[in-house]
Amino acid sequence: MKYFTMFFVFGILMGHDPENEKLDWSFYSRVGTVSTKNQSGLSTYLRLKRTTNYNFRDIRFYTNIFGLNQDIRLRHKSSKISFNLPWFYHFSAVAYEKNTFIDINLRYHYNQGFGCLFKKENNNITFELGIAYDVSDYLENTLKTSYAKSAFTYDQNFNKISTKLEVENFFQISDEINNKNLSRYQFMFELNWNLYKNISVISGIYQEISPNNLYTQNNRLISYLTLAYKSPLKWRL
């Protein structure tokens, strides 16, 4: 009975009216240069986003190529805003990541949880808490590591300039294997300058940091400068 009550209350909080929802699709693309302390290369980015009044879905594909080294990330995220609590939402995300700078050949990652959205005319702030797990070497083993996830994002819009800050923390809660703790922080900051209509210049930095410096002695800060294009799509799916 208690489980039925819990799911009934959750259904009320997350319920919505699909007939009154506004549907929007958007496509984003970028191309430009990317660099670390000692290397430079090609940066590309593709994103497809679908939003309604209460639902959000997007898929993002990042590629940063430096010859032999690569930083490649494919991520899908979905979230649903509560109908009765418009500042409260549930989310889930799945990602595949390859980053040879920190010895990640192919990492499969999944997380889910709850978040709070504080939205004003010119800025958005979110806080998220949840659970996560990943497989650090997806091609070689199936050993899963579990984490407690926390995240913070801040988006600020000015006249022709906008900024984005994302900070995620994954704190390992499962047992360590071979005394290796896979806890980590992921930081991203971007500056977007709108040139003309749907065309922008975006510069940014990204870094993944292990508190115990587990991956390598060279946790790399990646910086990029790209030309970006955003296009609305008239899809009704």
Side-chain angles (χ1 to χ4, degrees):
M1 183 65 183
K2 67 178 181 179
Y3 294 107
F4 173 81
T5 303
M6 179 180 66
F7 284 111
F8 178 75
V9 172
F10 181 78
I12 293 176
L13 289 175
M14 304 307 295
H16 62 96
D17 182 3
E19 293 185 359
N20 294 323
E21 289 192 338
K22 180 183 178 182
L23 176 62
D24 288 309
W25 284 88
S26 298
F27 174 73
Y28 304 77
S29 61
R30 304 181 198 169
V31 62
T33 62
V34 63
S35 61
T36 62
K37 183 177 180 180
N38 300 315
Q39 299 183 59
S40 61
L42 175 68
S43 177
T44 63
Y45 170 88
L46 299 173
R47 180 187 182 192
L48 186 63
K49 182 176 74 171
R50 179 187 186 275
T51 61
T52 66
N53 294 358
Y54 301 100
N55 291 276
F56 168 91
R57 292 177 179 271
D58 86 335
I59 184 167
R60 306 182 188 189
F61 184 47
Y62 303 82
T63 60
N64 297 307
I65 307 299
F66 304 85
L68 296 178
N69 286 309
Q70 303 170 358
D71 168 45
I72 300 173
R73 286 167 275 141
L74 176 64
R75 193 207 73 172
H76 173 265
K77 184 173 184 177
S78 64
S79 60
K80 179 182 287 188
I81 297 175
S82 166
F83 182 72
N84 296 301
L85 299 174
W87 49 268
F88 179 77
Y89 63 92
H90 170 265
F91 70 89
S92 64
V94 61
Y96 290 90
E97 303 165 332
K98 178 182 179 67
N99 190 333
T100 57
F101 286 115
I102 54 175
D103 300 336
I104 299 297
N105 292 321
L106 181 60
R107 178 169 63 200
Y108 169 78
H109 177 86
Y110 176 83
N111 66 76
Q112 65 175 351
F114 298 94
C116 295
L117 169 66
F118 303 96
K119 188 173 183 179
K120 295 183 180 180
E121 182 178 357
N122 294 318
N123 63 61
N124 292 331
I125 298 175
T126 66
F127 296 94
E128 294 181 349
L129 292 174
I131 58 173
Y133 75 85
D134 58 36
V135 180
S136 295
D137 196 345
Y138 190 62
L139 296 178
E140 298 296 331
N141 65 67
T142 58
L143 184 64
K144 295 181 180 179
T145 305
S146 300
Y147 309 86
K149 175 196 172 173
S150 58
F152 166 80
T153 69
Y154 177 67
D155 297 316
Q156 179 68 53
N157 294 318
F158 300 99
N159 186 14
K160 285 184 171 292
I161 294 176
S162 62
T163 60
K164 176 186 290 290
L165 173 67
E166 296 182 359
V167 181
E168 291 185 291
N169 172 244
F170 299 97
F171 180 79
Q172 183 172 336
I173 56 177
S174 57
D175 293 336
E176 296 181 10
I177 304 298
N178 299 324
N179 294 319
K180 292 183 178 180
N181 189 306
L182 300 179
S183 299
R184 60 186 179 273
Y185 292 91
Q186 293 177 336
F187 298 92
M188 191 272 288
F189 176 77
E190 288 185 345
L191 178 67
N192 183 320
W193 177 34
N194 182 247
L195 290 177
Y196 177 75
K197 293 185 177 180
N198 296 331
I199 300 175
S200 302
V201 172
I202 298 177
S203 62
I205 57 174
Y206 171 81
Q207 186 168 21
E208 179 169 319
I209 298 176
S210 166
N212 299 319
N213 204 26
L214 171 66
Y215 303 119
T216 68
Q217 298 299 315
N218 297 306
N219 286 313
R220 298 297 183 96
L221 175 69
I222 294 174
S223 60
Y224 48 90
L225 178 65
T226 59
L227 185 66
Y229 177 72
K230 174 184 176 182
S231 173
L233 301 175
K234 296 181 180 180
W235 294 357
R236 304 309 304 167
L237 301 176

